[in-house]
Amino acid sequence: MKGSNFHKVNVRKETTQAEQLFACLKAGTVSTNVHLRKLHNFCLSMNWLPWPLIPRRLWPEVKFQPKRAITLAEHQLIVEREKNPERPQLLPTVLALGRFTEQRRSPQGRGQ
């Protein structure tokens, strides 16, 4: 795998310890947490593991960064740098959709 935080995990299922998974989670990012959790759950569902290495309640919470739409200045910079003539025609729609989504998420935009 690309992010190579998984080198801390022993590939033999008989000897893999929860401490190795916690070290991998601590060194990694949100993506590491999500993919390692999916891999662990898949191995459990396939009966490749006799029991969970980390009980469900002990997995660290996944904390995503806040999401936002691009600003008008960012949009204009993208349009100026774009070489494909079709994309600048699509970008105003994408910008408007981003603004609409952000308005729906904000407390001020809920009543509108």
Side-chain angles (χ1 to χ4, degrees), residues 33-48:
N33 188 325
V34 169
H35 291 298
L36 191 57
R37 187 184 303 243
K38 285 181 182 180
L39 179 63
H40 182 261
N41 290 337
F42 177 74
C43 291
L44 283 171
S45 67
M46 295 297 292
N47 291 325
W48 293 347

PDB file of all heavy atoms in Angstrom, residues 33-48:
ATOM      1  N   ASN A  33      -6.791   5.055   9.197  1.00  0.00           N
ATOM      2  CA  ASN A  33      -7.786   4.579  10.157  1.00  0.00           C
ATOM      3  C   ASN A  33      -8.947   3.898   9.438  1.00  0.00           C
ATOM      4  O   ASN A  33      -9.345   2.786   9.790  1.00  0.00           O
ATOM      5  CB  ASN A  33      -8.291   5.748  10.999  1.00  0.00           C
ATOM      6  CG  ASN A  33      -9.183   5.322  12.136  1.00  0.00           C
ATOM      7  OD1 ASN A  33      -9.954   4.379  12.038  1.00  0.00           O
ATOM      8  ND2 ASN A  33      -9.100   6.045  13.234  1.00  0.00           N
ATOM      9  N   VAL A  34      -9.470   4.529   8.413  1.00  0.00           N
ATOM     10  CA  VAL A  34     -10.631   3.998   7.702  1.00  0.00           C
ATOM     11  C   VAL A  34     -10.290   2.688   7.009  1.00  0.00           C
ATOM     12  O   VAL A  34     -11.020   1.694   7.130  1.00  0.00           O
ATOM     13  CB  VAL A  34     -11.155   5.045   6.679  1.00  0.00           C
ATOM     14  CG1 VAL A  34     -12.180   4.435   5.753  1.00  0.00           C
ATOM     15  CG2 VAL A  34     -11.730   6.237   7.405  1.00  0.00           C
ATOM     16  N   HIS A  35      -9.166   2.646   6.294  1.00  0.00           N
ATOM     17  CA  HIS A  35      -8.816   1.442   5.539  1.00  0.00           C
ATOM     18  C   HIS A  35      -8.417   0.285   6.452  1.00  0.00           C
ATOM     19  O   HIS A  35      -8.753  -0.870   6.169  1.00  0.00           O
ATOM     20  CB  HIS A  35      -7.722   1.743   4.524  1.00  0.00           C
ATOM     21  CG  HIS A  35      -8.186   2.616   3.409  1.00  0.00           C
ATOM     22  ND1 HIS A  35      -9.177   2.239   2.529  1.00  0.00           N
ATOM     23  CD2 HIS A  35      -7.831   3.861   3.041  1.00  0.00           C
ATOM     24  CE1 HIS A  35      -9.393   3.204   1.666  1.00  0.00           C
ATOM     25  NE2 HIS A  35      -8.586   4.201   1.956  1.00  0.00           N
ATOM     26  N   LEU A  36      -7.723   0.580   7.523  1.00  0.00           N
ATOM     27  CA  LEU A  36      -7.348  -0.480   8.454  1.00  0.00           C
ATOM     28  C   LEU A  36      -8.588  -1.052   9.142  1.00  0.00           C
ATOM     29  O   LEU A  36      -8.705  -2.267   9.337  1.00  0.00           O
ATOM     30  CB  LEU A  36      -6.358   0.043   9.490  1.00  0.00           C
ATOM     31  CG  LEU A  36      -5.677  -1.003  10.357  1.00  0.00           C
ATOM     32  CD1 LEU A  36      -4.943  -2.021   9.507  1.00  0.00           C
ATOM     33  CD2 LEU A  36      -4.695  -0.353  11.309  1.00  0.00           C
ATOM     34  N   ARG A  37      -9.531  -0.199   9.465  1.00  0.00           N
ATOM     35  CA  ARG A  37     -10.790  -0.660  10.063  1.00  0.00           C
ATOM     36  C   ARG A  37     -11.562  -1.539   9.080  1.00  0.00           C
ATOM     37  O   ARG A  37     -12.083  -2.593   9.450  1.00  0.00           O
ATOM     38  CB  ARG A  37     -11.635   0.550  10.457  1.00  0.00           C
ATOM     39  CG  ARG A  37     -12.882   0.208  11.230  1.00  0.00           C
ATOM     40  CD  ARG A  37     -13.697   1.452  11.496  1.00  0.00           C
ATOM     41  NE  ARG A  37     -12.958   2.475  12.197  1.00  0.00           N
ATOM     42  CZ  ARG A  37     -13.259   2.932  13.399  1.00  0.00           C
ATOM     43  NH1 ARG A  37     -14.321   2.481  14.015  1.00  0.00           N
ATOM     44  NH2 ARG A  37     -12.531   3.859  13.966  1.00  0.00           N
ATOM     45  N   LYS A  38     -11.618  -1.120   7.813  1.00  0.00           N
ATOM     46  CA  LYS A  38     -12.296  -1.927   6.792  1.00  0.00           C
ATOM     47  C   LYS A  38     -11.608  -3.277   6.613  1.00  0.00           C
ATOM     48  O   LYS A  38     -12.280  -4.312   6.493  1.00  0.00           O
ATOM     49  CB  LYS A  38     -12.311  -1.185   5.453  1.00  0.00           C
ATOM     50  CG  LYS A  38     -13.291  -0.062   5.373  1.00  0.00           C
ATOM     51  CD  LYS A  38     -13.234   0.576   3.998  1.00  0.00           C
ATOM     52  CE  LYS A  38     -14.171   1.739   3.883  1.00  0.00           C
ATOM     53  NZ  LYS A  38     -14.113   2.370   2.551  1.00  0.00           N
ATOM     54  N   LEU A  39     -10.280  -3.271   6.578  1.00  0.00           N
ATOM     55  CA  LEU A  39      -9.531  -4.508   6.422  1.00  0.00           C
ATOM     56  C   LEU A  39      -9.767  -5.442   7.610  1.00  0.00           C
ATOM     57  O   LEU A  39      -9.986  -6.641   7.444  1.00  0.00           O
ATOM     58  CB  LEU A  39      -8.037  -4.199   6.269  1.00  0.00           C
ATOM     59  CG  LEU A  39      -7.113  -5.397   6.119  1.00  0.00           C
ATOM     60  CD1 LEU A  39      -7.435  -6.162   4.842  1.00  0.00           C
ATOM     61  CD2 LEU A  39      -5.662  -4.924   6.105  1.00  0.00           C
ATOM     62  N   HIS A  40      -9.752  -4.897   8.804  1.00  0.00           N
ATOM     63  CA  HIS A  40      -9.988  -5.676  10.023  1.00  0.00           C
ATOM     64  C   HIS A  40     -11.388  -6.291  10.001  1.00  0.00           C
ATOM     65  O   HIS A  40     -11.563  -7.487  10.272  1.00  0.00           O
ATOM     66  CB  HIS A  40      -9.797  -4.767  11.241  1.00  0.00           C
ATOM     67  CG  HIS A  40      -9.966  -5.451  12.544  1.00  0.00           C
ATOM     68  ND1 HIS A  40     -11.133  -5.374  13.266  1.00  0.00           N
ATOM     69  CD2 HIS A  40      -9.121  -6.223  13.271  1.00  0.00           C
ATOM     70  CE1 HIS A  40     -10.998  -6.073  14.381  1.00  0.00           C
ATOM     71  NE2 HIS A  40      -9.782  -6.589  14.399  1.00  0.00           N
ATOM     72  N   ASN A  41     -12.393  -5.482   9.660  1.00  0.00           N
ATOM     73  CA  ASN A  41     -13.765  -5.989   9.603  1.00  0.00           C
ATOM     74  C   ASN A  41     -13.938  -7.037   8.510  1.00  0.00           C
ATOM     75  O   ASN A  41     -14.658  -8.022   8.688  1.00  0.00           O
ATOM     76  CB  ASN A  41     -14.763  -4.850   9.396  1.00  0.00           C
ATOM     77  CG  ASN A  41     -14.881  -3.980  10.621  1.00  0.00           C
ATOM     78  OD1 ASN A  41     -14.586  -4.409  11.729  1.00  0.00           O
ATOM     79  ND2 ASN A  41     -15.288  -2.748  10.427  1.00  0.00           N
ATOM     80  N   PHE A  42     -13.273  -6.847   7.375  1.00  0.00           N
ATOM     81  CA  PHE A  42     -13.347  -7.831   6.297  1.00  0.00           C
ATOM     82  C   PHE A  42     -12.731  -9.159   6.744  1.00  0.00           C
ATOM     83  O   PHE A  42     -13.310 -10.228   6.506  1.00  0.00           O
ATOM     84  CB  PHE A  42     -12.639  -7.304   5.050  1.00  0.00           C
ATOM     85  CG  PHE A  42     -12.612  -8.286   3.918  1.00  0.00           C
ATOM     86  CD1 PHE A  42     -13.756  -8.538   3.180  1.00  0.00           C
ATOM     87  CD2 PHE A  42     -11.452  -8.967   3.598  1.00  0.00           C
ATOM     88  CE1 PHE A  42     -13.741  -9.453   2.136  1.00  0.00           C
ATOM     89  CE2 PHE A  42     -11.422  -9.878   2.563  1.00  0.00           C
ATOM     90  CZ  PHE A  42     -12.573 -10.124   1.826  1.00  0.00           C
ATOM     91  N   CYS A  43     -11.570  -9.087   7.384  1.00  0.00           N
ATOM     92  CA  CYS A  43     -10.914 -10.312   7.866  1.00  0.00           C
ATOM     93  C   CYS A  43     -11.786 -11.039   8.885  1.00  0.00           C
ATOM     94  O   CYS A  43     -11.844 -12.279   8.889  1.00  0.00           O
ATOM     95  CB  CYS A  43      -9.549  -9.989   8.467  1.00  0.00           C
ATOM     96  SG  CYS A  43      -8.351  -9.451   7.238  1.00  0.00           S
ATOM     97  N   LEU A  44     -12.471 -10.297   9.727  1.00  0.00           N
ATOM     98  CA  LEU A  44     -13.389 -10.921  10.684  1.00  0.00           C
ATOM     99  C   LEU A  44     -14.565 -11.580   9.970  1.00  0.00           C
ATOM    100  O   LEU A  44     -14.945 -12.710  10.301  1.00  0.00           O
ATOM    101  CB  LEU A  44     -13.908  -9.882  11.677  1.00  0.00           C
ATOM    102  CG  LEU A  44     -12.953  -9.464  12.775  1.00  0.00           C
ATOM    103  CD1 LEU A  44     -13.524  -8.280  13.537  1.00  0.00           C
ATOM    104  CD2 LEU A  44     -12.668 -10.613  13.708  1.00  0.00           C
ATOM    105  N   SER A  45     -15.139 -10.895   8.983  1.00  0.00           N
ATOM    106  CA  SER A  45     -16.304 -11.450   8.290  1.00  0.00           C
ATOM    107  C   SER A  45     -15.941 -12.672   7.449  1.00  0.00           C
ATOM    108  O   SER A  45     -16.784 -13.539   7.231  1.00  0.00           O
ATOM    109  CB  SER A  45     -16.967 -10.390   7.420  1.00  0.00           C
ATOM    110  OG  SER A  45     -16.120 -10.026   6.360  1.00  0.00           O
ATOM    111  N   MET A  46     -14.700 -12.763   6.992  1.00  0.00           N
ATOM    112  CA  MET A  46     -14.254 -13.917   6.214  1.00  0.00           C
ATOM    113  C   MET A  46     -13.744 -15.047   7.122  1.00  0.00           C
ATOM    114  O   MET A  46     -13.271 -16.061   6.626  1.00  0.00           O
ATOM    115  CB  MET A  46     -13.138 -13.494   5.250  1.00  0.00           C
ATOM    116  CG  MET A  46     -13.581 -12.524   4.176  1.00  0.00           C
ATOM    117  SD  MET A  46     -14.806 -13.207   3.063  1.00  0.00           S
ATOM    118  CE  MET A  46     -13.851 -14.424   2.212  1.00  0.00           C
ATOM    119  N   ASN A  47     -13.814 -14.832   8.440  1.00  0.00           N
ATOM    120  CA  ASN A  47     -13.312 -15.799   9.420  1.00  0.00           C
ATOM    121  C   ASN A  47     -11.816 -16.064   9.279  1.00  0.00           C
ATOM    122  O   ASN A  47     -11.337 -17.155   9.555  1.00  0.00           O
ATOM    123  CB  ASN A  47     -14.091 -17.127   9.353  1.00  0.00           C
ATOM    124  CG  ASN A  47     -15.493 -16.954   9.842  1.00  0.00           C
ATOM    125  OD1 ASN A  47     -15.753 -16.182  10.761  1.00  0.00           O
ATOM    126  ND2 ASN A  47     -16.417 -17.668   9.229  1.00  0.00           N
ATOM    127  N   TRP A  48     -11.095 -15.060   8.808  1.00  0.00           N
ATOM    128  CA  TRP A  48      -9.650 -15.162   8.757  1.00  0.00           C
ATOM    129  C   TRP A  48      -9.052 -14.866  10.126  1.00  0.00           C
ATOM    130  O   TRP A  48      -7.907 -15.213  10.387  1.00  0.00           O
ATOM    131  CB  TRP A  48      -9.068 -14.204   7.731  1.00  0.00           C
ATOM    132  CG  TRP A  48      -9.425 -14.552   6.312  1.00  0.00           C
ATOM    133  CD1 TRP A  48      -9.967 -15.726   5.866  1.00  0.00           C
ATOM    134  CD2 TRP A  48      -9.275 -13.725   5.172  1.00  0.00           C
ATOM    135  NE1 TRP A  48     -10.159 -15.677   4.521  1.00  0.00           N
ATOM    136  CE2 TRP A  48      -9.742 -14.450   4.054  1.00  0.00           C
ATOM    137  CE3 TRP A  48      -8.809 -12.444   4.973  1.00  0.00           C
ATOM    138  CZ2 TRP A  48      -9.730 -13.940   2.773  1.00  0.00           C
ATOM    139  CZ3 TRP A  48      -8.797 -11.939   3.692  1.00  0.00           C
ATOM    140  CH2 TRP A  48      -9.254 -12.675   2.605  1.00  0.00           C
TER     141      TRP A  48
END
